Amino acid sequence: MYLLIPSAGIGKRMGGTRNKLLLKVRSQPIIAWTLQAAAAASTIKWIGIISQPIDWPDFKGILADVNVSKPVEFITGGSTRQESVYNGLQALPAAAEQVLIHDGARCLVTPDLLNSCAEAIRQCSGLIAAVPVKDTIKVVDHHGMIESTPDRRQLWAAQTPQGFNVQLLKQCHAQGISQGWEVTDDAALLEKCGIKVRIVPGEETNLKVTTPQDLAIAEFILSNREKQDK
């Protein structure tokens, strides 16, 4: 399985000016934890890191420390996640029929989840890891007034990995460019093209590190995992 890791963002909500994936969790950069999970996933055979060239020296040093034995290619990121993934798709080896896309900031992903998504995408055109929503969700207008309360039994919180047929996703990206669509994940492109996307059960701990509070939560989760492994 081929894996693309979008890692091109600065992370403004972290309050920094550099790539947030260089911030450390339990003495290792965020991206190091993501790469270790990918390295340990038996189904992953090739990794593409989509990032800005200014970060490549740091990322290459991290790769050497993590000692990833699988082929790794660096791909220039775009100004948005959508553009970055488009660039990543163009850089995939010609033999790639399916691809997993996993945000570099979801550093708590387990090899088991990567493997389960890699197996599942062989049986469908598109999938995302997701977990059922626990909170009651409110739809609010621009005045801050509640408009409706959706049935949470039908609501799932999207995660990554997301998996796709490569040619199909390329076609959807091309259509997105021609139509001027702006989306926050690749599943939304398939949805706009009328293609059904499957849910694969995700992991409650598979959070995206976006804020300083998320860093603290990630520290706690990794600390608990370390204790359980002893």
Side-chain angles (χ1 to χ4, degrees):
M1 182 57 61
Y2 298 83
L3 174 67
L4 291 174
I5 304 178
S7 309
I10 293 175
K12 294 179 180 177
R13 281 175 283 185
M14 279 291 186
T17 58
R18 287 294 309 278
N19 195 314
K20 69 179 178 184
L21 301 188
L22 297 174
L23 297 175
K24 291 189 176 181
V25 180
R26 291 192 64 75
S27 77
Q28 291 193 81
I30 291 171
I31 188 66
W33 294 101
T34 310
L35 290 169
Q36 286 177 79
S42 60
T43 55
I44 304 300
K45 306 301 181 186
W46 180 95
I47 300 169
I49 301 176
I50 312 168
S51 56
Q52 304 301 343
I54 191 174
D55 293 323
W56 291 359
D58 290 308
F59 283 176
K60 287 177 181 178
I62 293 166
L63 265 175
D65 291 339
V66 174
N67 193 27
V68 177
S69 60
K70 301 171 182 182
V72 178
E73 183 171 334
F74 285 89
I75 303 159
T76 301
S79 60
T80 65
R81 184 186 188 280
Q82 190 172 338
E83 289 181 8
S84 290
V85 173
Y86 177 85
N87 292 351
L89 291 173
Q90 310 317 307
L92 285 172
E97 295 183 0
Q98 290 94 20
V99 63
L100 292 185
I101 301 168
H102 181 69
D103 294 336
R106 288 191 185 272
C107 60
L108 300 175
V109 68
T110 66
D112 286 344
L113 182 56
L114 287 164
N115 286 335
S116 65
C117 289
E119 294 297 335
I121 192 54
R122 302 183 193 281
Q123 310 300 325
C124 62
S125 297
L127 61 80
I128 69 169
V131 293
V133 168
K134 294 179 179 178
D135 297 323
T136 296
I137 304 297
K138 302 291 185 180
V139 178
V140 180
D141 66 18
H142 62 280
H143 297 296
M145 303 299 290
I146 295 172
E147 291 187 334
S148 63
T149 304
D151 183 352
R152 71 181 178 193
R153 291 174 296 180
Q154 294 181 295
L155 299 177
W156 289 64
Q159 300 181 342
T160 63
Q162 300 190 357
F164 306 94
N165 173 280
V166 170
Q167 289 305 316
L168 180 61
L169 185 56
K170 283 183 175 181
Q171 292 169 14
C172 292
H173 266 272
Q175 188 168 343
I177 291 171
S178 67
Q179 298 291 332
W181 295 336
E182 294 183 7
V183 297
T184 55
D185 73 356
D186 297 278
L189 285 174
L190 267 70
E191 295 165 37
K192 282 181 171 290
C193 291
I195 299 165
K196 295 289 188 180
V197 179
R198 176 182 166 187
I199 289 291
V200 171
E203 297 168 334
E204 294 288 347
T205 56
N206 184 24
L207 64 87
K208 186 175 183 180
V209 178
T210 303
T211 67
Q213 290 78 15
D214 295 331
L215 275 175
I217 295 170
E219 289 265 1
F220 176 77
I221 292 170
L222 288 169
S223 177
N224 277 352
R225 286 181 183 176
E226 188 176 287
K227 291 175 184 177
Q228 291 170 4
D229 290 340
K230 288 182 178 179

